[in-house]
Amino acid sequence: MQIGNWEEAYLAQSQDAAVGRMFRGIIHNLGGIIQVFSLHTDLAGMMLDKAMAVLEQMRQAGPSPEVDALHDLLARRSESLSQMQEKVRQSQQILQRTLILPEFQQLPGGVPYTINSVIETEVEFMSANATFKHKVQKSMILAEVPALKRFQLELHQIMHILLANGLEAVQGMDNAEITVESAREGEGIGVRVRDNGPGLSTEAAAHLYEPFHSCKEGHLGLGLYLAKKLIARCGGEISCESSPGRTSFSLFVPPEAMQP
């Protein structure tokens, strides 16, 4: 492979990995919903047995306080039914998102989408990580922004990289926070991913977007390099501001992304 070709090969591989990661995220979310279905199915069976026992007592003894007990049982099942119905709605929303996956291979354009949907999807899929799901306070401040028609896969990849980078920064903290914001910026769209980690060292800041440079053991040092390459492909920009207790990455998505 000629020098320089590794970049395109790596970008292509990362795109395939992004699609696979999203499928894993879908499976993770559906698994949680199915687990709830299983729990409520078991509860329904147990409570049905109790209801049948009460009905049998009513049959033998005639009208009695057991009627009230039956009512209470049915009321409790009604509450559980509401929870199940909510999970059905969630599953429908998650499955709806799979409709965008075939479009990812058509990089020049696709169906309209918003940067907010990219943010929400990537935050949701990142929750497959137990630390992110249970130990990080997550905030999304999403403004009303215009629809986009290009660079959907690139923006999904960039958002995943920035969220993963933020998660790494707050790893092990008791008060870990990650905030994602979207806003209209001129003719384009701005996105900011902020964490309350310790901040970047002088060395890390100096080599932030260089390939194969990482201050963390076991890391290839390609994440932010790839993010910069991808946003440049979109015609946009990425920047970083960091101080002790606060690091913020900002993206600018240009108006070209709104055109087919």
Side-chain angles (χ1 to χ4, degrees):
M1 181 180 296
Q2 297 180 356
I3 296 176
N5 288 351
W6 69 268
E7 293 186 0
E8 288 302 319
Y10 183 76
L11 287 172
Q13 182 185 34
S14 69
Q15 289 169 356
D16 290 340
V19 175
R21 175 176 52 78
M22 292 193 71
F23 271 117
R24 289 194 297 272
I26 291 169
I27 292 172
H28 166 78
N29 283 280
L30 287 177
I33 292 170
I34 292 172
Q35 185 177 18
V36 172
F37 286 159
S38 177
L39 172 63
H40 284 298
T41 299
D42 291 342
L43 288 174
M46 293 170 58
M47 298 190 76
L48 178 61
D49 290 342
K50 291 182 180 180
M52 292 300 292
V54 171
L55 286 173
E56 181 61 22
Q57 292 178 12
M58 292 173 60
R59 186 184 67 83
Q60 296 179 3
S64 69
E66 280 77 8
V67 174
D68 294 333
L70 178 59
H71 180 272
D72 291 342
L73 288 171
L74 293 177
R76 289 165 60 187
R77 290 309 307 141
S78 177
E79 293 177 1
S80 295
L81 178 61
S82 296
Q83 295 179 25
M84 293 177 69
Q85 290 171 332
E86 177 60 26
K87 291 301 178 182
V88 168
R89 285 191 288 270
Q90 290 182 17
S91 66
Q92 291 171 335
Q93 293 172 358
I94 293 170
L95 289 174
Q96 183 68 24
R97 287 174 178 157
T98 65
L99 298 177
I100 67 175
L101 296 179
E103 301 293 336
F104 280 175
Q105 300 306 321
Q106 302 173 10
L107 296 180
V111 297
Y113 69 100
T114 67
I115 193 65
N116 291 345
S117 69
V118 172
I119 292 169
E120 291 170 338
T121 298
E122 289 301 331
V123 168
E124 185 173 302
F125 288 170
M126 184 66 78
S127 295
N129 181 293
T131 300
F132 185 85
K133 183 175 183 178
H134 299 292
K135 297 186 178 180
V136 177
Q137 178 65 42
K138 298 167 286 291
S139 299
M140 290 186 286
I141 305 172
L142 308 179
E144 185 174 346
V145 291
L148 304 175
K149 293 186 178 180
R150 303 177 66 197
F151 309 120
Q152 190 171 11
L153 177 55
E154 285 91 342
L155 291 173
H156 270 279
Q157 289 177 274
I158 294 168
M159 189 55 52
H160 172 72
I161 290 168
L162 295 184
L163 287 171
N165 193 72
L167 175 60
E168 185 68 28
V170 300
Q171 198 77 239
M173 293 176 52
D174 292 331
N175 60 337
E177 297 179 5
I178 293 178
T179 301
V180 187
E181 302 176 57
S182 68
R184 190 69 188 266
E185 290 188 3
E187 295 298 316
I189 299 171
V191 178
R192 182 173 291 106
V193 180
R194 185 173 69 249
D195 67 71
N196 66 336
L200 296 173
S201 67
T202 302
E203 181 185 3
H207 303 280
L208 198 57
Y209 304 108
E210 292 182 14
F212 307 111
H213 190 284
S214 177
C215 298
K216 300 169 184 175
E217 186 177 352
H219 288 252
L220 289 175
L222 287 174
L224 291 174
Y225 169 77
L226 176 60
K228 188 174 181 66
K229 282 284 185 180
L230 289 170
I231 196 63
R233 174 186 284 183
C234 302
E237 299 176 352
I238 183 171
S239 61
C240 177
E241 295 180 359
S242 184
S243 59
R246 177 188 174 96
T247 297
S248 177
F249 283 90
S250 298
L251 294 176
F252 175 72
V253 182
E256 293 82 52
M258 304 174 197
Q259 305 301 321

